[in-house]
Amino acid sequence: MSDQIDQMLALKTWAVVGLSNNPDRAAFGVSKLLLEKGHTVIPVHPKAESVHGQKGYAKLSEIPMPVDVVDIFVNSDLAGVVVNEAIEIGAKGVWLQLDVIDEAAVTRAKAAGLLAVMNHCPAIEYKKRG
């Protein structure tokens, strides 16, 4: 799993699904850290809010540029739909956050050639790597 995490952290453009302007939500802090680490962050939320100065979109399919990683901050029961959308837009990987569990979705992502990480947080992984 460590190799997959390293490969994902090396990718630059991250669509963060579930990211809003609520500073109490984990997605808010994690996306800020991703920006600090040099990633491009694209907020994806039904409200399509701009977050951290980044233009937001309501759906992955509305993003007009290639997306490397789809970072999933939604309930586990919604994660499979997001993974399907990530496959459809040609993302290189999906990252299911801590406590977002969908084994079948991860299997589908891997079968489609995507990198897949589940039940991990990129902020924690960056801290482990110094």
Side-chain angles (χ1 to χ4, degrees):
M1 178 59 66
S2 185
D3 285 348
Q4 293 241 1
I5 290 171
D6 288 341
Q7 289 176 51
M8 296 270 271
L9 293 176
L11 297 171
K12 288 298 171 201
T13 304
W14 288 52
V16 182
V17 178
L19 175 56
S20 70
N21 274 309
N22 182 345
D24 296 330
R25 305 287 300 184
F28 189 86
V30 170
S31 61
K32 188 173 189 310
L33 178 116
L34 289 170
L35 285 166
E36 291 167 358
K37 294 292 186 181
H39 297 280
T40 299
V41 171
I42 304 165
V44 180
H45 189 278
K47 294 180 184 174
E49 297 176 315
S50 290
V51 183
H52 304 306
Q54 309 302 305
K55 179 175 173 33
Y57 297 89
K59 299 178 182 179
L60 287 172
S61 60
E62 295 176 359
I63 299 171
M65 65 195 78
V67 171
D68 294 325
V69 178
V70 176
D71 192 0
I72 303 172
F73 279 94
V74 299
N75 292 330
S76 295
D77 58 345
L78 302 174
V81 171
V82 177
V83 169
N84 293 344
E85 291 172 0
I87 294 166
E88 287 171 21
I89 68 165
K92 295 176 183 169
V94 291
W95 190 302
L96 284 68
Q97 282 292 328
L98 291 174
D99 299 324
V100 179
I101 309 294
D102 188 332
E103 297 282 354
V106 167
T107 299
R108 284 195 308 278
K110 288 180 178 177
L114 279 69
L115 296 167
V117 172
M118 181 172 64
N119 199 27
H120 287 269
C121 175
I124 293 169
E125 297 303 326
Y126 266 120
K127 286 179 185 153
K128 287 181 185 175
R129 287 155 176 76

